[in-house]
Amino acid sequence: MNEVKAKKFLGQHFLTDETIARRIVDSLSPDSHRVLEIGPGMGVLTKYLIERPDTDFHVVEIDRESVAWLHDHYPTLHVIEGDFLKLDLSALFHDHYAIIGNFPYNISSQILFRVFECRNEVSEVVGMFQKEVAERVAEGPGSKTYGILSVLLGAFFDVEYLFTVHEHVFNPPPKVKSAVIRLKRNDVTHLDCDEQLFVQVVKAGFNQRRKTLRNALRSAGLAIDAVPEETLAKRAEQLSVDEFITLTKTIESCI
């Protein structure tokens, strides 16, 4: 069948640069033997992923036209037609797995939140994101781009900003630059605090990021009586992952 036409409502921008495609695939660790590719489109990454030895490899694609194209060109490939955000990942792999993809920009943050939810199963992520999203995830405290995903993912993954990708290597070209980042699961098995409360505290702090933590946390109905004044006077973007853990423990002690 003919080439697939990119669909705006799916956020599709097909990568056309083979050198960049190879570089993305090569950024995946050699010891990642179970791999899920999200949104393969016309297989620009897929063709290189198939070459990896001893790899249990699957792709998930929501676009029916792309699914048909993949079946035509890679008849032995395990293609899952569906929405990654609704996929039962535990049924796919019975051990840790890696995720890779040129991710649709309209759901890239949702993909990362899903990675956080599956943090005990996902060993690695290599992905192309809108540059702004990539920077947000990779940034450290003190930056205006540092946010909820920076903290949540930074608690369980080592995040690396690998390289920037310019608009002209896509069809159609997006209006923004892109970037590839890598997340590798760290050794943290659990946080030294209530993890559900940790998520609540982080979201409360950044949902009103212009406010001090005193006002942001109080607005969210969190107990702050035992939190030091020095911490309450700061904004969420000023706290590191460890400081958010300490803050959560303090709030937890008041419940």
Side-chain angles (χ1 to χ4, degrees):
M1 64 179 294
N2 295 328
E3 288 192 354
V4 177
K5 184 178 179 180
K7 299 166 185 65
K8 188 175 182 180
F9 75 97
L10 290 175
Q12 290 177 328
H13 296 277
F14 295 132
L15 178 66
T16 59
D17 189 307
E18 296 291 340
T19 301
I20 293 175
R22 168 64 82 177
R23 189 176 175 189
I24 292 170
V25 172
D26 286 347
S27 298
L28 199 63
S29 300
D31 57 355
S32 287
H33 296 299
R34 286 168 294 277
V35 179
L36 177 66
E37 182 186 1
I38 299 173
M42 289 184 289
V44 67
L45 302 184
T46 310
K47 66 167 71 76
Y48 299 115
L49 288 162
I50 286 174
E51 295 174 357
R52 289 170 59 90
D54 304 318
T55 299
D56 181 9
F57 176 49
H58 309 279
V59 304
V60 56
E61 176 59 71
I62 197 170
D63 177 24
R64 288 183 178 179
E65 191 180 359
S66 293
V67 169
W69 193 97
L70 291 164
H71 281 311
D72 280 353
H73 290 78
Y74 302 102
T76 62
L77 181 65
H78 183 200
V79 181
I80 303 157
E81 183 176 355
D83 184 348
F84 167 76
L85 300 176
K86 299 176 181 177
L87 193 65
D88 180 7
L89 296 172
S90 62
L92 269 184
F93 301 103
H94 301 295
D95 205 339
H96 298 100
Y97 56 89
I99 291 173
I100 192 168
N102 173 23
F103 300 133
Y105 292 159
N106 57 347
I107 62 164
S108 57
S109 291
Q110 292 168 270
I111 289 172
L112 288 168
F113 277 114
R114 187 79 198 278
V115 167
F116 174 73
E117 291 172 7
C118 301
R119 57 192 176 275
N120 292 325
E121 290 78 48
V122 177
S123 58
E124 183 178 22
V125 179
V126 173
M128 177 111 68
F129 296 87
Q130 183 176 331
K131 187 171 185 283
E132 179 185 345
V133 174
E135 289 174 339
R136 191 182 307 150
V137 177
E139 195 58 84
S143 166
K144 294 295 182 185
T145 56
Y146 180 71
I148 294 172
L149 283 169
S150 316
V151 178
L152 298 186
L153 292 170
F156 294 96
F157 293 88
D158 296 325
V159 183
E160 299 172 82
Y161 185 103
L162 297 181
F163 55 92
T164 302
V165 181
H166 296 278
E167 303 92 323
H168 65 272
V169 298
F170 295 93
N171 180 30
K175 294 180 180 179
V176 294
K177 286 183 170 50
S178 305
V180 177
I181 58 174
R182 177 169 54 212
L183 289 73
K184 293 201 73 172
R185 189 67 168 85
N186 60 26
D187 295 329
V188 175
T189 55
H190 64 276
L191 302 183
D192 190 22
C193 65
D194 181 297
E195 292 184 6
Q196 287 187 323
L197 182 60
F198 173 75
V199 174
Q200 188 181 352
V201 169
V202 172
K203 287 184 175 180
F206 283 104
N207 281 341
Q208 300 188 66
R209 63 183 301 148
R210 292 185 178 182
K211 292 186 177 182
T212 62
L213 285 168
R214 176 186 291 103
N215 295 329
L217 298 176
R218 184 181 287 154
S219 296
L222 294 166
I224 60 172
D225 294 346
V227 179
E229 285 296 318
E230 181 184 356
T231 300
L232 292 175
K234 293 181 178 180
R235 291 181 173 83
E237 67 195 42
Q238 296 175 272
L239 267 60
S240 66
V241 172
D242 287 341
E243 287 171 323
F244 265 110
I245 292 171
T246 300
L247 173 59
T248 303
K249 286 175 65 176
T250 305
I251 292 173
E252 191 178 350
S253 70
C254 300
I255 298 174

